[in-house]
Amino acid sequence: MSIPMGEENFSKVEGGGSLILAWQIKNKRVLVVGGGEVAAGRILNVLNADAKVTVVSPREGLNPEVAYRVQEGQVDFVDRKFEPSDLDNVDMVLTAVDDPEASSQIWKLCKERKIAANIADVPPECDFYFGSVHRDGPLQIMVSTNGKGPRFANIVRRQITSNLPDKIGEGIEKIGKLRQMLRKVAPGPEEGPKRMAWMIKVSDAYSLEDLHAMNEEDMEMLLRFYAPNQVPRFHCLQKMKDKSWDLGCLRPLKGENETFDGSWGFSVGWG
């Protein structure tokens, strides 16, 4: 087998970056050491990811937001300074205290126990960084400067999100609902490649506005086209509901030349 050589054939390796992941920490135990403004932001981030959070800090060190979350029972609270036993059965540690020596000691203990940790404002003592995040329902966009300029990450994030369409999160919720319904229509693992390919067609064919406007009746109508592996345009789904559609609605999307297989009682060659 011949392998094409030359840099132009492959993506260039750019070292020095981070592996950006959507880390699933639902029901994981997260320890937050500190109760100030930085800790408040960290706490909100992990609560949004459905983690089980314990805050260790003297009560007098809690800022209003952290104190509120303690009062509301959103986090467990230990009213004292950190002790090594706090690391027992913990999956992640976040420190945000104005004590570099104590922070470094916590970092070393985490390394001994192989616990992922983030030591606020000390990039060399972090297994991961927090970025500037935009959230709209299921949509999350994170901008990271890899610890170089957190403030600038906020500026970039605002620039990106200012160009996003309204209610994009609701549109993504709809596509998620459609995927769930499709799995009921075609549940077998052997259907996996076809399901994926068909959903790609839907995502390419439908605008965010279309997805936002789609209701469950539209989804059920659209799923009738899964078996013949077709994706009618969104306006055609609307016409089908009032029986005003025509054969033009079944014309394939750009790049397709399949023949409709008769699922509607007839067979049509695209020609």
Side-chain angles (χ1 to χ4, degrees), residues 136-236:
D136 183 355
L139 175 66
Q140 291 178 271
I141 299 173
M142 190 190 87
V143 177
S144 173
T145 59
N146 284 295
K148 305 293 185 183
R151 177 65 179 174
F152 192 71
N154 288 333
I155 295 172
V156 174
R157 186 257 304 163
R158 287 196 296 269
Q159 181 67 37
I160 292 171
T161 57
S162 68
N163 290 288
L164 294 175
D166 293 336
K167 299 182 179 180
I168 185 173
E170 292 183 25
I172 295 171
E173 287 281 10
K174 297 288 182 67
I175 204 74
K177 173 68 173 177
L178 180 63
R179 288 184 66 192
Q180 291 177 348
M181 294 171 68
L182 176 58
R183 284 188 172 275
K184 294 180 180 179
V185 170
E190 69 281 356
E191 290 284 328
K194 182 180 177 181
R195 282 198 309 263
M196 183 179 297
W198 190 77
M199 285 303 306
I200 289 173
K201 287 183 181 181
V202 172
S203 299
D204 289 344
Y206 284 28
S207 68
L208 291 168
E209 291 76 12
D210 292 339
L211 294 173
H212 181 258
M214 185 179 290
N215 58 33
E216 192 160 330
E217 183 181 0
D218 296 325
M219 295 181 193
E220 291 173 351
M221 183 73 72
L222 177 57
L223 287 170
R224 297 173 69 175
F225 286 87
Y226 171 74
N229 199 26
Q230 295 295 331
V231 178
R233 294 158 181 79
F234 182 65
H235 75 273
C236 292

Side-chain angles (χ1 to χ4, degrees), residues 25 30 36 38 59 63 84 87 89 111 123 130-131 133-134 137 150 155 170 200 211 252-253 255 265:
I25 59 171
V30 177
V38 174
R59 187 175 294 275
N63 85 341
L87 298 179
N89 302 313
K111 293 303 94 188
F130 285 86
V133 177
H134 170 76
I155 295 172
E170 292 183 25
I200 289 173
L211 294 173
L253 300 169

Side-chain angles (χ1 to χ4, degrees), residues 57-74:
S57 171
R59 187 175 294 275
E60 61 269 20
L62 302 183
N63 85 341
E65 181 177 346
V66 179
Y68 167 79
R69 301 201 187 283
V70 170
Q71 178 182 315
E72 293 298 308
Q74 296 177 5

Side-chain angles (χ1 to χ4, degrees), residues 33-55:
V33 181
E37 182 179 355
V38 174
R42 301 290 196 255
I43 290 168
L44 179 59
N45 281 329
V46 292
L47 285 177
N48 282 339
D50 300 319
K52 296 183 180 298
V53 182
T54 298
V55 176

